[in-house]
Amino acid sequence: MLDINWLNTFVTLSRLEHFGKTASELHMTQPNVSLHIKQLEQTTRVKLIERSPFRLTQAGQRLLRSAQHTLQELQICQADLNAINDLYQGTLSIAASDIISRLLLIKPFQSFKQEFPGIDLSLFNTTSTQAAALVKSAKADLGFVIAQKESQPLHFTELRQVHWCALGNGLTDWQQRAQTGTPHHNGDELTLILLGHDTRTRDLIDLALPSLNLPKYRVMEVGSVDAQIDWAEAGFGIAIVPAFSLHPKLNLTSTITPLPDFPTTSLGYIVRQNQVLSRAIKQLLHWVSEEISNSQHGSGGSRV
């Protein structure tokens, strides 16, 4: 009978390809890592790895696929059992981007800690694409994302529509130059301040940029929406950001230009299809919905 701990060690070693790093990640000694692999090979009666240089044998590659699936299913099963038992102790893992977590989750998290003091909240600060992967693998119980397409094995629920705006001075002037064919001096180009290509938001923005009808422009890539706003406020260019991200920024001095020709997208949450939701998760989602409603009313609904 294969031991789950052996399989977990084997999967981790296959990913890290190093016995010492595997021992460190699993909080084990290196001899114990070697012992787990030896016991696994003795039980399966096949050689699973070559050590110098490290590689999986054909049998090892086959076992890896099954082991990964088995461990994931067990993790999903444990999450569902926790939900069925209305978990009041343990950890609730949430995956969300930086802008979503800070604008929409802080107050709901405060309410959650008061209502469920025995449950620790673990936040994965990540992109929407990575959040989907974490929920799919059951490493996160819940994910908040932008522009999630409905896909197996995830279920997406929309919480609000996302509209876009440009933050920064001079956008209209540049658009008029393009319409009239007014030449610009060498080096005198508009700078667009955008997120990096590793984000789902950037994919949406790139598709919509032609609607701005701009002349030649350069792109400045940054790592967060807050950085976009800060650089635009400092006069380095025009930031294309979700309109709701500007609601808490009460002291902005740069021009805010709505972008109605940009396609709207959805902000919402994802769970695994057929996932059992605990009372704690349902209550957290209720508080998040309230926070979204309050933010929409506070901005008069004009930016969202």
Side-chain angles (χ1 to χ4, degrees), residues 2-264:
L2 299 184
D3 187 287
I4 292 298
N5 293 318
W6 301 347
L7 292 178
N8 188 48
T9 301
F10 173 67
V11 169
T12 305
L13 178 61
S14 300
R15 173 168 53 85
L16 298 177
E17 299 184 350
H18 191 280
F19 281 81
K21 292 179 181 178
T22 300
S24 178
E25 180 165 317
L26 297 178
H27 306 289
M28 299 169 58
T29 64
Q30 190 165 325
N32 276 342
V33 172
S34 298
L35 178 61
H36 278 194
I37 300 304
K38 180 180 179 180
Q39 291 170 320
L40 194 55
E41 289 182 327
Q42 288 177 342
T43 302
T44 58
R45 300 179 183 177
V46 291
K47 190 172 185 178
L48 299 172
I49 65 171
E50 299 286 355
R51 285 170 168 75
S52 298
F54 183 93
R55 69 176 183 86
L56 295 182
T57 64
Q58 183 177 2
Q61 292 173 355
R62 176 64 183 87
L63 178 61
L64 177 62
R65 292 193 295 271
S66 293
Q68 289 172 325
H69 178 73
T70 298
L71 292 173
Q72 180 174 326
E73 286 299 312
L74 284 173
Q75 193 166 3
I76 290 172
C77 179
Q78 183 62 63
D80 285 343
L81 290 175
N82 290 340
I84 290 172
N85 290 329
D86 272 337
L87 180 68
Y88 281 92
Q89 290 185 336
T91 301
L92 178 61
S93 298
I94 312 294
S97 69
D98 180 67
I99 191 67
I100 293 175
S101 61
R102 287 188 297 104
L103 294 185
L104 300 179
L105 300 185
I106 290 180
K107 289 183 179 179
F109 275 22
Q110 290 173 331
S111 299
F112 186 93
K113 291 304 295 180
Q114 292 178 359
E115 181 77 14
F116 303 96
I119 301 179
D120 292 327
L121 282 171
S122 176
L123 178 64
F124 293 102
N125 198 351
T126 183
T127 66
S128 291
T129 299
Q130 292 167 335
L134 288 168
V135 173
K136 181 178 179 181
S137 65
K139 293 179 181 178
D141 301 295
L142 180 67
F144 292 93
V145 300
I146 290 178
Q148 171 68 31
K149 295 180 179 178
E150 188 73 29
S151 61
Q152 294 278 359
L154 300 176
H155 177 72
F156 174 75
T157 300
E158 180 182 283
L159 292 172
R160 77 186 299 173
Q161 284 285 300
V162 177
H163 297 256
W164 305 93
C165 65
L167 175 69
N169 301 322
L171 177 62
T172 302
D173 292 340
W174 280 95
Q175 291 173 322
Q176 289 175 347
R177 284 193 191 188
Q179 292 173 357
T180 60
T182 304
H184 58 272
H185 302 293
N186 290 335
D188 182 22
E189 295 179 2
L190 176 66
T191 298
L192 294 181
I193 305 170
L194 306 176
L195 293 178
H197 278 98
D198 60 337
T199 63
R200 188 172 292 159
T201 300
R202 176 61 183 276
D203 293 337
L204 295 171
I205 295 299
D206 282 346
L207 291 174
L209 284 178
S211 67
L212 292 179
N213 297 316
L214 291 172
K216 185 178 180 181
Y217 58 85
R218 63 170 67 93
V219 172
M220 175 182 178
E221 291 190 354
V222 296
S224 70
V225 174
D226 254 8
Q228 287 182 273
I229 295 171
D230 289 344
W231 283 105
E233 276 285 272
F236 283 86
I238 306 291
I240 309 297
V241 296
F244 75 84
S245 67
L246 300 182
H247 168 56
K249 309 290 185 179
L250 301 179
N251 299 316
L252 294 175
T253 59
S254 301
T255 303
I256 300 174
T257 306
L259 300 176
D261 292 334
F262 271 47
T264 59

